[in-house]
Amino acid sequence: MDPVTDAPVHRVRAETPARTNDYDGFAEAYAAKTENNLVNAHYERPAMRALAGDVAGRRVLDAGCGSGPLSAALRERGAVVTGLDASAAMLALARRRLGADVDLRLGDLGEPLPFADSVFDDVVASLVLHYLEDWGPALAELRRVLRPGGRLIASVEHPIVAYEFTDPRPDYFATTSYGFDWSFGERSVPMRFWRRPLHAMTDAFTAAGFRLSALSEPRPDPAARELFPDGFHDLATKPCFLFFVLEVPAAAPDAVA
């Protein structure tokens, strides 16, 4: 069972097609599948909302906003949301959802971000960092656009889950890529991700200037038990995603002469 789409997956061999993670090619199918499913709608997004807490009046960058469901939820709570995604097709869906008054930008987390320094109170990065081999440049940019005292709230595939995706098991302590197919009905699309051990994640956050505030392994929303009786127990008893709240240290007060 694929942890993102709740769909059966097929392991990808070494000859994986070069064009992987082509969200422009399956944006509509992905958005429809994840809109109300167990893993995204009743587990990952509620956990992100809970960790974000009271966002009323806060300037929030949704980095990797996709079709905008988390952006919409944060805006409903009073946040001033900006969305960023590398897929133009996903941004078109987000525009349809959010309307013309939300700032949506096309951009890649592996590149410099199109924002000035210290313009956001929070960044939410929902299931995006595990697409990157090197977290360093992306985290440096996210740190740059956050104000002192701001927060990065991120979810990634749990390292234990990622470690189990191939047999024989890979070296847990190495940063390695892995791939599989996401299935949408009769259609399969090739995906590729990067796995790393937990200490590599926390080391990357620290190196970028963040301070770990919370590490969370939540369970799905209890209300989903009746909606998804077959999948709820499995998700409630096994790790799927790992969640972080990282803080930018507040500026030191001016020294007193």
Side-chain angles (χ1 to χ4, degrees):
M1 192 71 70
D2 177 68
V4 174
T5 64
D6 297 336
V9 298
H10 309 285
R11 297 294 179 261
V12 174
R13 298 177 182 273
E15 61 271 19
T16 303
R19 190 164 180 76
T20 57
N21 308 344
D22 180 21
Y23 275 96
D24 279 342
F26 60 89
E28 291 270 4
Y30 178 88
K33 182 70 178 181
T34 58
E35 184 72 19
N36 294 300
N37 67 346
L38 172 60
V39 171
N40 298 87
H42 295 274
Y43 167 57
E44 196 274 339
R45 289 199 294 271
M48 290 292 284
R49 293 195 302 267
L51 290 172
D54 183 5
V55 292
R58 296 178 71 86
R59 300 160 299 169
V60 180
L61 172 63
D62 188 352
C65 64
S67 62
L70 183 56
S71 290
L74 296 175
R75 186 175 65 167
E76 288 174 2
R77 293 182 170 204
V80 180
V81 177
T82 298
L84 176 83
D85 203 273
S87 166
M90 280 292 190
L91 286 177
L93 295 176
R95 178 65 68 199
R96 187 188 308 171
R97 182 197 302 269
L98 299 169
D101 60 336
V102 174
D103 185 7
L104 298 175
R105 306 282 188 98
L106 185 67
D108 193 320
L109 282 181
E111 303 292 336
L113 299 180
F115 307 109
D117 296 352
S118 306
V119 292
F120 295 107
D121 299 300
D122 297 312
V123 171
V124 292
S126 176
L127 303 177
V128 293
L129 289 176
H130 48 228
Y131 290 103
L132 304 176
E133 178 180 6
D134 182 3
W135 285 13
L139 291 180
E141 277 294 281
L142 296 179
R143 167 69 177 80
R144 179 184 65 78
V145 301
L146 279 165
R147 66 167 177 80
R151 302 176 302 168
L152 168 61
I153 303 164
S155 61
V156 297
E157 198 146 60
H158 199 291
I160 295 300
V161 174
Y163 176 70
E164 293 177 346
F165 264 113
T166 56
D167 190 16
R169 297 287 182 259
D171 178 359
Y172 170 80
F173 295 99
T175 295
T176 56
S177 66
Y178 64 102
F180 52 78
D181 285 353
W182 277 348
S183 298
F184 300 98
E186 297 181 356
R187 181 186 182 191
S188 292
V189 296
M191 302 298 297
R192 183 148 296 276
F193 301 87
W194 289 88
R195 62 183 150 223
R196 69 203 73 228
L198 176 58
H199 76 84
M201 298 180 187
T202 57
D203 287 352
F205 291 132
T206 300
F210 289 101
R211 180 173 58 211
L212 180 62
S213 174
L215 177 68
S216 179
E217 296 175 303
R219 295 183 179 182
D221 181 353
R225 186 188 301 273
E226 294 184 4
L227 297 172
F228 304 92
D230 295 333
F232 183 87
H233 176 75
D234 188 58
L235 188 58
T237 57
K238 298 177 182 178
C240 186
F241 301 136
L242 192 59
F243 297 76
F244 299 89
V245 179
L246 295 311
E247 295 180 350
V248 176
D254 293 337
V256 177

